[in-house]
Amino acid sequence: MLVTVIIYSVCVYFATIGFGLLINLPRKALNMAGIVSLIGWLVFHIVSVHMGGYLTADILGTFTVGILSIFASRYKKMPVIIFNIPALVPLVPGGQAYQVMKCLAIGNYALAKSNLIQVIFIAGGIASGFLFAEFLNQLYLRLKTYLRTKKATR
């Protein structure tokens, strides 16, 4: 079990770096994008194994990726999207989308519909995770500005 998680973790890290190279990320952002992706995938894996359900796991994994991408962008002084996009690679429901197409091709429409609903929910979970992360970031920035202006008026 532990060996499998370690092998998957290494694969997630290198898949993210490979995808980053494919989309021409700056070289100085590759390692950080790999780390963000790895931590997001570990959260996804832990939640999906111990709590069950891909939807909750995807929401929490994407939320983690969103928050860590914000921190990484501030640390590296780069746009957040540089870290968000490659870190999504292990969380995207590509396998389920493939199953939808396969089931449609062989005429198993009931299973295709079931898989399509799963893909739609996972995609919505990914969007929700980023939405929650950005909401928390905006809340933090506004609270910080409010406290700074309140302190300056004293």
Side-chain angles (χ1 to χ4, degrees):
M1 174 77 178
L2 181 62
V3 174
T4 306
V5 172
I6 291 171
I7 291 171
Y8 283 172
S9 298
V10 169
C11 289
V12 163
Y13 177 79
F14 284 117
T16 303
I17 289 178
F19 186 75
L21 289 171
L22 190 68
I23 62 171
N24 293 324
L25 280 187
R27 300 269 188 232
K28 64 182 185 175
L30 286 174
N31 188 41
M32 188 65 73
I35 292 169
V36 167
S37 177
L38 176 62
I39 295 171
W41 179 81
L42 284 172
V43 168
F44 166 80
H45 180 70
I46 289 169
V47 171
S48 66
V49 167
H50 295 294
M51 293 176 60
Y54 285 103
L55 184 58
T56 307
D58 262 310
I59 291 171
L60 292 177
T62 308
F63 177 76
T64 304
V65 165
I67 293 294
L68 292 178
S69 294
I70 291 167
F71 289 139
S73 71
R74 290 182 186 154
Y75 176 70
K76 291 284 189 178
K77 295 177 178 51
M78 299 174 129
V80 175
I81 199 164
I82 287 180
F83 304 102
N84 275 349
I85 299 302
L88 277 182
V89 170
L91 300 177
V92 170
Q96 289 92 340
Y98 169 77
Q99 291 299 323
V100 170
M101 292 298 124
K102 185 177 114 182
C103 291
L104 285 173
I106 63 174
N108 192 349
Y109 299 114
L111 188 57
K113 181 177 136 183
S114 173
N115 285 334
L116 180 61
I117 291 170
Q118 187 179 14
V119 168
I120 290 170
F121 275 113
I122 290 172
I126 289 172
S128 299
F130 277 136
L131 181 72
F132 294 147
E134 187 57 34
F135 173 73
L136 202 64
N137 180 43
Q138 292 297 318
L139 187 65
Y140 167 75
L141 292 176
R142 288 184 186 193
L143 185 63
K144 185 175 158 185
T145 304
Y146 172 76
L147 293 176
R148 186 180 301 140
T149 56
K150 190 171 180 170
K151 184 178 179 182
T153 57
R154 283 189 197 183

